[in-house]
Amino acid sequence: MADQIRYDDQVIVITGAGNGLGKQYAKFFASRGAKVVVNDLGGNAFGKDKDGKGESKVADQVVKEITNAGGVAVPNYDAVQNGDKIIKTAIDSFGRIDVLINNAGILRDVTLRNMTDADWDIIMDVHVHGAMKTARAAWPFFKKQKHGKVINTSSSSGLFGNFGQANYAAAKMAQVGFTETLAKEGAKYNIHCNVLAPGAASRLTQTVWAPEMMEVMKPDWVVPLVGVLVHSSCNESGSIFEAAAGHFSKIRWERSKGFLARPDDSLTADLILRNHDKIVDFSEAEHPNGTADMITLLEKAMALPSNSTGSETNLKGRVALVT
Ligand code: NAI
C-alpha cells in the first residue's frame, strides 16, 4: 500500500520501552523507518527488581529485536528522573529528536490510610518528575527545529480515580495539566503535545484483569492511535485520548452553564443552596480549554468591557516571561 504511514529519519524516544506498551511502540516505529531510543532501566512493576536495582537487559532485548528485523535502535538505561541523559542518547546517537513518548511507569497500589510517604514519592518521582525531565530536555531541540511531538501517558485511574491508587491517580492526572500547558507553550513552535490513557494487557494489569480480558487488551491495539498522533501530518494538540482493545475516544472538559451571583453581601451560602440545581445542571454545558475562557465568561456575565479584569494581560505577561 503506497500510503502506509511512515516515520523515515524521525528520531523517536520512548521511555519504559523494555516491556508492555513501550516495547510495542518501539517495534512499530522502527518498522516504519524511525530511529528509536529504547529507554528502560529494567526493574519490576513496583520500581525495582529483586535486588533493588534495575537491569539493562530489557532495553537490550528490544533493541536486538528491532535490529534483527532490519530497524535502527539504541538502548538507554537511565531512570526517567534523569531524563536529560535519555535525550542526550538521542542527540549523541542520531543528532536530533522529533518525538518523545513518556511511557515509563510503575505502581504502588495501597489505600490512602496505609500509604507511606515512600509510596507517594516514588510514584510522583517516576511519573511526574520523569515526564518533566525528558520533556524539558527535549524542548530546546523541538523549539529550534520548529517541530516536536510529545505523548504523556495518563490512565483512567487519573481521569476518574480508582480505589487503592491515590498516588498513581494523582500522578496520572498531573499528566493532563502538564500536557495541556506544554501544548499551549509549544503552539507557536509547532510542538504538539497530547495525553493518552491506554488500556493494555501488561504486567501492570495482569493481577487486576481476568485472563479473557487480557486476551483482547493487546498493547498492539493502542499503538495505531499513538502512531497517528505523533505523525507529522497530525495537528492535534492539548487533547486527551483513550485507547484500549480497539476502542479509541477523546475526552474533554465540560462546564455547566452555572449560576451567576452578584459579588456583594447577597452572595451567601443560602443563595448557593437555593441555586445548587443550576450549578450542577449540564443541559447547557460548554467545553472550555483555557483559563482565559473563564475570564471571558465572567466579563460577559458581569457585562464588563473586554479585558477590564486585566487578567488576560497578566496571563500574556506571564507567558512572555517564560518563553
Ligand atoms: P510495563 O510495566 O509493561 O512497562 C513499563 C516499563 O517502564 C517497564 O519496562 C519498566 O522497567 C519501565 N520503567 C519503570 N520505571 C522506570 C523509570 N523510572 N525509568 C525508566 N523506565 C522505567 O507497563 P505498561 O502497562 O506497558 O505501562 C506503560 C504506561 O502506560 C505506564 O505509564 C502506565 O502507568 C500506563 N498505563 C498502562 C495501562 C495498562 O492498561 N497497561 C493503563 C493505564 C496507564
Side-chain angles (χ1 to χ4, degrees):
M1 214 167 110
D3 59 350
Q4 188 190 55
I5 191 165
R6 292 196 60 85
Y7 310 87
D8 296 299
D9 300 324
Q10 299 266 293
V11 176
I12 303 188
V13 172
I14 303 158
T15 69
N19 286 290
L21 285 159
K23 178 178 178 176
Q24 297 312 318
Y25 298 148
K27 288 168 66 177
F28 168 75
F29 288 117
S31 75
R32 298 294 181 98
K35 296 169 185 160
V36 178
V37 175
V38 177
N39 157 261
D40 208 300
L41 50 49
N44 67 25
F46 313 104
K48 57 187 181 192
D49 67 10
K50 59 184 181 332
D51 305 310
K53 296 183 298 210
E55 50 170 278
S56 55
K57 262 187 274 168
V58 283
D60 287 341
Q61 278 158 9
V62 176
V63 168
K64 200 167 165 205
E65 277 188 52
I66 289 173
T67 47
N68 284 349
V72 179
V74 293
N76 169 282
Y77 317 116
D78 288 298
V80 283
Q81 298 91 313
N82 298 316
D84 38 343
K85 293 188 181 162
I86 303 173
I87 303 305
K88 187 172 183 304
T89 297
I91 303 305
D92 290 349
S93 307
F94 304 124
R96 60 185 288 124
I97 172 172
D98 299 281
V99 176
L100 168 64
I101 301 178
N102 277 320
N103 164 79
I106 56 166
L107 295 173
R108 276 294 167 93
D109 293 358
V110 56
T111 56
L112 182 64
R113 173 73 184 79
N114 297 313
M115 189 175 290
T116 63
D117 283 1
D119 293 328
W120 177 270
D121 290 345
I122 192 170
I123 291 294
M124 291 298 150
D125 204 29
V126 171
H127 294 270
V128 184
H129 193 201
M132 184 281 284
K133 287 296 288 280
T134 51
R136 192 178 63 187
W139 209 254
F141 298 98
F142 289 160
K143 215 172 137 178
K144 193 163 175 217
Q145 70 201 14
K146 289 210 167 10
H147 160 76
K149 305 275 186 186
V150 180
I151 298 288
N152 290 319
T153 308
S154 183
S155 163
S156 55
S157 303
L159 300 177
F160 311 117
N162 198 22
F163 190 93
Q165 292 196 313
N167 50 358
Y168 183 75
K172 288 309 200 183
M173 192 57 184
Q175 305 300 318
V176 174
F178 179 56
T179 310
E180 288 174 343
T181 299
L182 295 196
K184 287 177 168 61
E185 292 185 7
K188 72 175 171 184
Y189 305 108
N190 193 32
I191 304 170
H192 299 144
C193 311
N194 291 292
V195 190
L196 174 73
S202 78
R203 57 195 197 156
L204 294 193
T205 45
Q206 66 190 357
T207 54
V208 188
W209 294 340
E212 313 83 66
M213 183 90 161
M214 294 290 278
E215 273 298 297
V216 296
M217 301 288 277
K218 277 172 63 177
D220 310 55
W221 309 140
V222 172
V223 176
L225 175 67
V226 175
V228 169
L229 289 175
V230 305
H231 193 256
S232 54
S233 63
C234 180
N235 289 322
E236 188 83 41
S237 194
S239 303
I240 309 165
F241 290 91
E242 293 177 304
H247 177 254
F248 304 96
S249 54
K250 183 168 169 173
I251 293 210
R252 62 183 176 180
W253 292 105
E254 188 172 45
R255 179 191 286 136
S256 66
K257 187 179 176 193
F259 164 69
L260 185 74
R262 271 203 309 275
D264 60 23
D265 290 347
S266 67
L267 206 174
T268 61
D270 312 273
L271 182 73
I272 298 304
L273 179 63
R274 285 197 298 279
N275 290 281
H276 183 254
D277 287 353
K278 286 184 196 153
I279 296 171
V280 299
D281 176 7
F282 279 92
S283 60
E284 292 178 71
E286 56 163 22
H287 300 99
N289 66 12
T291 49
D293 287 2
M294 183 55 163
I295 290 155
T296 312
L297 184 142
L298 289 178
E299 283 172 348
K300 256 197 227 158
M302 292 187 279
L304 294 173
S306 175
N307 256 348
S308 57
T309 58
S311 307
E312 180 85 352
T313 319
N314 290 343
L315 280 173
K316 283 191 186 134
R318 220 180 302 156
V319 170
L321 281 178
V322 293
T323 48

PDB file of all heavy atoms in Angstrom, residues 147-170:
ATOM      1  N   HIS A 147       9.500  21.958  15.415  1.00  0.00           N
ATOM      2  CA  HIS A 147       8.762  20.708  15.204  1.00  0.00           C
ATOM      3  C   HIS A 147       9.032  19.787  16.387  1.00  0.00           C
ATOM      4  O   HIS A 147      10.186  19.606  16.777  1.00  0.00           O
ATOM      5  CB  HIS A 147       9.231  20.043  13.898  1.00  0.00           C
ATOM      6  CG  HIS A 147       8.919  18.583  13.833  1.00  0.00           C
ATOM      7  ND1 HIS A 147       7.667  18.091  13.590  1.00  0.00           N
ATOM      8  CD2 HIS A 147       9.715  17.497  14.010  1.00  0.00           C
ATOM      9  CE1 HIS A 147       7.690  16.773  13.600  1.00  0.00           C
ATOM     10  NE2 HIS A 147       8.923  16.391  13.856  1.00  0.00           N
ATOM     11  N   GLY A 148       8.002  19.221  16.937  1.00  0.00           N
ATOM     12  CA  GLY A 148       8.180  18.254  18.016  1.00  0.00           C
ATOM     13  C   GLY A 148       6.836  17.674  18.424  1.00  0.00           C
ATOM     14  O   GLY A 148       5.798  18.319  18.280  1.00  0.00           O
ATOM     15  N   LYS A 149       6.881  16.436  18.872  1.00  0.00           N
ATOM     16  CA  LYS A 149       5.652  15.761  19.312  1.00  0.00           C
ATOM     17  C   LYS A 149       5.911  15.120  20.668  1.00  0.00           C
ATOM     18  O   LYS A 149       6.960  14.474  20.854  1.00  0.00           O
ATOM     19  CB  LYS A 149       5.273  14.643  18.333  1.00  0.00           C
ATOM     20  CG  LYS A 149       5.135  15.080  16.883  1.00  0.00           C
ATOM     21  CD  LYS A 149       3.758  15.626  16.610  1.00  0.00           C
ATOM     22  CE  LYS A 149       3.596  15.923  15.137  1.00  0.00           C
ATOM     23  NZ  LYS A 149       2.326  16.578  14.835  1.00  0.00           N
ATOM     24  N   VAL A 150       4.970  15.299  21.574  1.00  0.00           N
ATOM     25  CA  VAL A 150       5.091  14.678  22.898  1.00  0.00           C
ATOM     26  C   VAL A 150       3.811  13.922  23.216  1.00  0.00           C
ATOM     27  O   VAL A 150       2.709  14.455  23.018  1.00  0.00           O
ATOM     28  CB  VAL A 150       5.324  15.736  24.008  1.00  0.00           C
ATOM     29  CG1 VAL A 150       5.453  15.062  25.378  1.00  0.00           C
ATOM     30  CG2 VAL A 150       6.554  16.583  23.720  1.00  0.00           C
ATOM     31  N   ILE A 151       3.978  12.696  23.679  1.00  0.00           N
ATOM     32  CA  ILE A 151       2.843  11.955  24.243  1.00  0.00           C
ATOM     33  C   ILE A 151       3.155  11.707  25.708  1.00  0.00           C
ATOM     34  O   ILE A 151       4.217  11.160  26.045  1.00  0.00           O
ATOM     35  CB  ILE A 151       2.644  10.575  23.549  1.00  0.00           C
ATOM     36  CG1 ILE A 151       2.317  10.729  22.058  1.00  0.00           C
ATOM     37  CG2 ILE A 151       1.555   9.764  24.262  1.00  0.00           C
ATOM     38  CD1 ILE A 151       0.948  11.257  21.735  1.00  0.00           C
ATOM     39  N   ASN A 152       2.269  12.130  26.587  1.00  0.00           N
ATOM     40  CA  ASN A 152       2.399  11.799  28.001  1.00  0.00           C
ATOM     41  C   ASN A 152       1.328  10.777  28.361  1.00  0.00           C
ATOM     42  O   ASN A 152       0.195  10.872  27.870  1.00  0.00           O
ATOM     43  CB  ASN A 152       2.267  13.055  28.862  1.00  0.00           C
ATOM     44  CG  ASN A 152       3.464  13.962  28.687  1.00  0.00           C
ATOM     45  OD1 ASN A 152       4.599  13.494  28.625  1.00  0.00           O
ATOM     46  ND2 ASN A 152       3.229  15.266  28.576  1.00  0.00           N
ATOM     47  N   THR A 153       1.701   9.841  29.208  1.00  0.00           N
ATOM     48  CA  THR A 153       0.790   8.722  29.469  1.00  0.00           C
ATOM     49  C   THR A 153       0.038   8.910  30.784  1.00  0.00           C
ATOM     50  O   THR A 153       0.637   8.964  31.862  1.00  0.00           O
ATOM     51  CB  THR A 153       1.574   7.396  29.497  1.00  0.00           C
ATOM     52  OG1 THR A 153       2.346   7.313  28.298  1.00  0.00           O
ATOM     53  CG2 THR A 153       0.621   6.217  29.561  1.00  0.00           C
ATOM     54  N   SER A 154      -1.265   9.004  30.663  1.00  0.00           N
ATOM     55  CA  SER A 154      -2.134   9.101  31.837  1.00  0.00           C
ATOM     56  C   SER A 154      -2.776   7.733  32.066  1.00  0.00           C
ATOM     57  O   SER A 154      -2.217   6.698  31.681  1.00  0.00           O
ATOM     58  CB  SER A 154      -3.190  10.188  31.603  1.00  0.00           C
ATOM     59  OG  SER A 154      -3.990  10.342  32.752  1.00  0.00           O
ATOM     60  N   SER A 155      -3.949   7.730  32.644  1.00  0.00           N
ATOM     61  CA  SER A 155      -4.647   6.480  32.943  1.00  0.00           C
ATOM     62  C   SER A 155      -6.087   6.813  33.310  1.00  0.00           C
ATOM     63  O   SER A 155      -6.358   7.911  33.808  1.00  0.00           O
ATOM     64  CB  SER A 155      -3.962   5.812  34.142  1.00  0.00           C
ATOM     65  OG  SER A 155      -4.802   4.830  34.701  1.00  0.00           O
ATOM     66  N   SER A 156      -6.974   5.858  33.099  1.00  0.00           N
ATOM     67  CA  SER A 156      -8.357   6.088  33.538  1.00  0.00           C
ATOM     68  C   SER A 156      -8.373   6.314  35.059  1.00  0.00           C
ATOM     69  O   SER A 156      -9.232   7.025  35.579  1.00  0.00           O
ATOM     70  CB  SER A 156      -9.260   4.910  33.154  1.00  0.00           C
ATOM     71  OG  SER A 156      -8.715   3.728  33.673  1.00  0.00           O
ATOM     72  N   SER A 157      -7.404   5.746  35.770  1.00  0.00           N
ATOM     73  CA  SER A 157      -7.327   5.980  37.224  1.00  0.00           C
ATOM     74  C   SER A 157      -7.099   7.456  37.514  1.00  0.00           C
ATOM     75  O   SER A 157      -7.620   7.995  38.487  1.00  0.00           O
ATOM     76  CB  SER A 157      -6.172   5.182  37.841  1.00  0.00           C
ATOM     77  OG  SER A 157      -6.327   3.829  37.549  1.00  0.00           O
ATOM     78  N   GLY A 158      -6.296   8.099  36.684  1.00  0.00           N
ATOM     79  CA  GLY A 158      -6.050   9.524  36.864  1.00  0.00           C
ATOM     80  C   GLY A 158      -7.264  10.352  36.495  1.00  0.00           C
ATOM     81  O   GLY A 158      -7.605  11.327  37.175  1.00  0.00           O
ATOM     82  N   LEU A 159      -7.918   9.973  35.411  1.00  0.00           N
ATOM     83  CA  LEU A 159      -9.055  10.778  34.927  1.00  0.00           C
ATOM     84  C   LEU A 159     -10.274  10.634  35.828  1.00  0.00           C
ATOM     85  O   LEU A 159     -11.033  11.584  36.009  1.00  0.00           O
ATOM     86  CB  LEU A 159      -9.421  10.356  33.499  1.00  0.00           C
ATOM     87  CG  LEU A 159      -8.310  10.510  32.443  1.00  0.00           C
ATOM     88  CD1 LEU A 159      -8.776   9.983  31.096  1.00  0.00           C
ATOM     89  CD2 LEU A 159      -7.884  11.968  32.319  1.00  0.00           C
ATOM     90  N   PHE A 160     -10.456   9.436  36.383  1.00  0.00           N
ATOM     91  CA  PHE A 160     -11.694   9.190  37.125  1.00  0.00           C
ATOM     92  C   PHE A 160     -11.478   8.772  38.582  1.00  0.00           C
ATOM     93  O   PHE A 160     -12.442   8.653  39.346  1.00  0.00           O
ATOM     94  CB  PHE A 160     -12.515   8.083  36.428  1.00  0.00           C
ATOM     95  CG  PHE A 160     -12.660   8.311  34.949  1.00  0.00           C
ATOM     96  CD1 PHE A 160     -12.132   7.429  34.029  1.00  0.00           C
ATOM     97  CD2 PHE A 160     -13.313   9.440  34.464  1.00  0.00           C
ATOM     98  CE1 PHE A 160     -12.248   7.644  32.666  1.00  0.00           C
ATOM     99  CE2 PHE A 160     -13.446   9.673  33.100  1.00  0.00           C
ATOM    100  CZ  PHE A 160     -12.908   8.775  32.198  1.00  0.00           C
ATOM    101  N   GLY A 161     -10.232   8.483  38.959  1.00  0.00           N
ATOM    102  CA  GLY A 161      -9.961   7.961  40.305  1.00  0.00           C
ATOM    103  C   GLY A 161     -10.157   6.455  40.326  1.00  0.00           C
ATOM    104  O   GLY A 161     -10.926   5.907  39.535  1.00  0.00           O
ATOM    105  N   ASN A 162      -9.425   5.794  41.220  1.00  0.00           N
ATOM    106  CA  ASN A 162      -9.575   4.347  41.332  1.00  0.00           C
ATOM    107  C   ASN A 162      -9.156   3.901  42.729  1.00  0.00           C
ATOM    108  O   ASN A 162      -8.157   4.382  43.266  1.00  0.00           O
ATOM    109  CB  ASN A 162      -8.697   3.634  40.281  1.00  0.00           C
ATOM    110  CG  ASN A 162      -9.135   2.200  40.074  1.00  0.00           C
ATOM    111  OD1 ASN A 162     -10.276   1.834  40.359  1.00  0.00           O
ATOM    112  ND2 ASN A 162      -8.230   1.379  39.584  1.00  0.00           N
ATOM    113  N   PHE A 163      -9.937   3.017  43.305  1.00  0.00           N
ATOM    114  CA  PHE A 163      -9.683   2.542  44.667  1.00  0.00           C
ATOM    115  C   PHE A 163      -8.244   2.036  44.803  1.00  0.00           C
ATOM    116  O   PHE A 163      -7.774   1.251  43.981  1.00  0.00           O
ATOM    117  CB  PHE A 163     -10.678   1.417  45.009  1.00  0.00           C
ATOM    118  CG  PHE A 163     -10.656   1.040  46.455  1.00  0.00           C
ATOM    119  CD1 PHE A 163     -11.541   1.638  47.343  1.00  0.00           C
ATOM    120  CD2 PHE A 163      -9.745   0.116  46.933  1.00  0.00           C
ATOM    121  CE1 PHE A 163     -11.517   1.302  48.684  1.00  0.00           C
ATOM    122  CE2 PHE A 163      -9.710  -0.224  48.273  1.00  0.00           C
ATOM    123  CZ  PHE A 163     -10.606   0.372  49.152  1.00  0.00           C
ATOM    124  N   GLY A 164      -7.566   2.495  45.833  1.00  0.00           N
ATOM    125  CA  GLY A 164      -6.219   1.996  46.119  1.00  0.00           C
ATOM    126  C   GLY A 164      -5.124   2.630  45.282  1.00  0.00           C
ATOM    127  O   GLY A 164      -3.979   2.183  45.309  1.00  0.00           O
ATOM    128  N   GLN A 165      -5.478   3.675  44.515  1.00  0.00           N
ATOM    129  CA  GLN A 165      -4.471   4.273  43.623  1.00  0.00           C
ATOM    130  C   GLN A 165      -4.385   5.789  43.775  1.00  0.00           C
ATOM    131  O   GLN A 165      -4.211   6.498  42.792  1.00  0.00           O
ATOM    132  CB  GLN A 165      -4.786   3.912  42.166  1.00  0.00           C
ATOM    133  CG  GLN A 165      -4.610   2.427  41.862  1.00  0.00           C
ATOM    134  CD  GLN A 165      -4.538   2.141  40.379  1.00  0.00           C
ATOM    135  OE1 GLN A 165      -5.358   2.635  39.623  1.00  0.00           O
ATOM    136  NE2 GLN A 165      -3.566   1.336  39.966  1.00  0.00           N
ATOM    137  N   ALA A 166      -4.508   6.298  45.002  1.00  0.00           N
ATOM    138  CA  ALA A 166      -4.477   7.760  45.185  1.00  0.00           C
ATOM    139  C   ALA A 166      -3.167   8.342  44.665  1.00  0.00           C
ATOM    140  O   ALA A 166      -3.159   9.412  44.026  1.00  0.00           O
ATOM    141  CB  ALA A 166      -4.663   8.106  46.657  1.00  0.00           C
ATOM    142  N   ASN A 167      -2.058   7.662  44.914  1.00  0.00           N
ATOM    143  CA  ASN A 167      -0.756   8.153  44.443  1.00  0.00           C
ATOM    144  C   ASN A 167      -0.685   8.123  42.909  1.00  0.00           C
ATOM    145  O   ASN A 167      -0.340   9.122  42.255  1.00  0.00           O
ATOM    146  CB  ASN A 167       0.393   7.347  45.078  1.00  0.00           C
ATOM    147  CG  ASN A 167       0.216   5.829  44.954  1.00  0.00           C
ATOM    148  OD1 ASN A 167      -0.781   5.343  44.424  1.00  0.00           O
ATOM    149  ND2 ASN A 167       1.191   5.080  45.451  1.00  0.00           N
ATOM    150  N   TYR A 168      -1.014   6.993  42.351  1.00  0.00           N
ATOM    151  CA  TYR A 168      -0.954   6.801  40.895  1.00  0.00           C
ATOM    152  C   TYR A 168      -1.949   7.725  40.177  1.00  0.00           C
ATOM    153  O   TYR A 168      -1.631   8.351  39.163  1.00  0.00           O
ATOM    154  CB  TYR A 168      -1.251   5.333  40.600  1.00  0.00           C
ATOM    155  CG  TYR A 168      -1.176   4.893  39.164  1.00  0.00           C
ATOM    156  CD1 TYR A 168       0.053   4.725  38.522  1.00  0.00           C
ATOM    157  CD2 TYR A 168      -2.338   4.585  38.454  1.00  0.00           C
ATOM    158  CE1 TYR A 168       0.122   4.275  37.209  1.00  0.00           C
ATOM    159  CE2 TYR A 168      -2.277   4.133  37.142  1.00  0.00           C
ATOM    160  CZ  TYR A 168      -1.042   3.982  36.527  1.00  0.00           C
ATOM    161  OH  TYR A 168      -0.997   3.528  35.221  1.00  0.00           O
ATOM    162  N   ALA A 169      -3.162   7.833  40.730  1.00  0.00           N
ATOM    163  CA  ALA A 169      -4.191   8.687  40.116  1.00  0.00           C
ATOM    164  C   ALA A 169      -3.750  10.150  40.110  1.00  0.00           C
ATOM    165  O   ALA A 169      -3.921  10.867  39.112  1.00  0.00           O
ATOM    166  CB  ALA A 169      -5.519   8.535  40.853  1.00  0.00           C
ATOM    167  N   ALA A 170      -3.155  10.588  41.225  1.00  0.00           N
ATOM    168  CA  ALA A 170      -2.686  11.986  41.296  1.00  0.00           C
ATOM    169  C   ALA A 170      -1.590  12.224  40.262  1.00  0.00           C
ATOM    170  O   ALA A 170      -1.582  13.240  39.554  1.00  0.00           O
ATOM    171  CB  ALA A 170      -2.177  12.286  42.704  1.00  0.00           C
TER     172      ALA A 170
END
